[in-house]
Amino acid sequence: MTDFGLIGKDISYSFSKAHFTAKFEEEGLDYSYDNFDLDTISQFPEVIKNNPNLLGLNVTIPYKESIIPYLDEVDGVAQEIGAVNTIKIGSDGKLKGYNTDHLGFQASIFPLLAPHHENALILGTGGASKAINFALKQLNIPCNFVSRTPRPEARYTFGGLTEDIIKAHQIIINCTPIGTYPNVNECPEIPYDAVSEAHLLYDLIYNPIQTKFLICGEIKGATISNGAKMLELQAEKSWEIWVSE
Ligand code: NAP
């Protein structure tokens, strides 16, 4: 009977299971953490029904938004972001959703920020991009989204990006899965020639450690960061929520 777990699709690679299993072992906690690989989110109620011991869940790609209708309550920030990556299961069986991605991202990017990092470009418009937008808004950094097809929330499409647009956005955050292992030779299509030392390129991807997106930034002298620190920090924030009263 598992106590904690991860809901997602094709998650055998999962960082969370390894992270929490190691944590429970190191801290002598008699808990278990399992993956629930779902073909569709409609299988979620079965997970809850078949695992009555569950105390908390993480939610990952592609269910951070589609999980919301299955919850009894959603915390205000997660509601504003529109995505849930953490679920706490109360002693009454009620499911409450939270978002800790924005906290992990904010804490990890903060030490890298410089005064000239004035505007941000967010590549992708999925669940994670919304948490990133929320975190940057809190840091008073205006953001524009880039999508592959025109979308109301996205000012730009990848095809419409120019060198001037890149120069005007000193922070560029990859919130797409492009470049994730094993597709390590892929990267978001942006005009890298306009990237300079003034830029901060942040990739939410953590496998590989250095994506092609980050390599292209490093070559141009940009400050770079992968998503490993964010991942660790969001997991710790999930833990704090699960064990809080
Ligand atoms: P998601 O909801 O599925 O969104 C993915 C976004 O990427 C969508 O906007 C999608 O566009 C876009 N996209 C996918 N393939 C693309 C392509 N070939 N060209 C252009 N755009 C493409 O996923 P998510 O939950 O936001 O996660 C995004 C990434 O962030 C994943 O790699 C995930 O592992 C990573 N992540 C990392 C952390 C961390 O702690 N480090 C936390 C959260 C997420 P369409 O809408 O057009 O499909």
Side-chain angles (χ1 to χ4, degrees):
M1 284 285 187
T2 192
D3 308 290
F4 298 95
L6 174 69
I7 302 290
K9 195 171 188 171
D10 303 328
I11 48 176
S12 51
Y13 63 87
S14 156
F15 154 89
S16 302
K17 185 173 161 66
H19 173 82
F20 283 109
T21 305
K23 178 186 174 72
F24 298 155
E25 227 172 85
E26 274 163 29
E27 298 181 16
L29 298 167
D30 190 19
Y31 289 131
S32 57
Y33 190 105
D34 281 310
N35 285 343
F36 297 102
D37 212 314
L38 309 184
D39 287 330
T40 130
I41 194 63
S42 61
Q43 295 169 332
F44 176 68
E46 252 174 83
V47 171
I48 297 297
K49 197 172 139 206
N50 297 337
N51 295 278
N53 283 11
L54 274 175
L55 300 168
L57 289 164
N58 289 122
V59 184
T60 190
I61 189 170
Y63 300 131
K64 288 183 185 179
E65 294 161 272
S66 55
I67 191 74
I68 290 176
Y70 292 89
L71 306 176
D72 298 298
E73 203 184 334
V74 177
D75 149 87
V77 168
Q79 232 172 63
E80 193 175 334
I81 292 173
V84 160
N85 76 321
T86 302
I87 301 170
K88 179 171 176 150
I89 301 160
S91 49
D92 55 0
K94 291 255 193 296
L95 310 179
K96 184 167 178 180
Y98 298 84
N99 190 301
T100 67
D101 279 339
H102 75 101
L103 295 170
F105 172 72
Q106 204 174 58
S108 65
I109 198 169
F110 190 73
L112 305 175
L113 291 174
H116 69 271
H117 291 140
E118 286 177 346
N119 294 295
L121 206 53
I122 300 180
L123 311 180
T125 55
S129 75
K130 293 175 172 178
I132 291 346
N133 181 42
F134 181 88
L136 289 171
K137 258 195 343 210
Q138 283 197 322
L139 294 169
N140 290 319
I141 297 175
C143 301
N144 285 306
F145 286 93
V146 184
S147 58
R148 54 177 152 185
T149 51
R151 281 177 180 265
E153 68 270 38
R155 177 152 177 201
Y156 308 112
T157 58
F158 282 97
L161 287 179
T162 61
E163 294 202 0
D164 282 344
I165 294 170
I166 296 297
K167 284 178 192 155
H169 296 82
Q170 305 80 14
I171 306 172
I172 307 176
I173 302 138
N174 180 29
C175 298
T176 77
I178 308 168
T180 305
Y181 180 85
N183 303 315
V184 295
N185 288 320
E186 295 176 6
C187 61
E189 290 193 19
I190 65 169
Y192 289 97
D193 281 347
V195 172
S196 70
E197 304 84 25
H199 280 87
L200 166 56
L201 264 57
Y202 190 112
D203 203 327
L204 262 57
I205 295 169
Y206 46 88
N207 182 17
I209 290 169
Q210 205 166 14
T211 55
K212 189 172 175 189
F213 170 71
L214 294 183
I215 293 168
C216 291
E218 192 175 45
I219 289 168
K220 303 291 292 189
T223 303
I224 59 167
S225 174
N226 67 20
K229 193 81 199 154
M230 169 180 172
L231 192 66
E232 236 175 73
L233 292 168
Q234 62 78 28
E236 275 315 295
K237 292 287 173 191
S238 296
W239 177 249
E240 285 171 22
I241 288 170
W242 293 332
V243 296
S244 68
E245 284 308 314

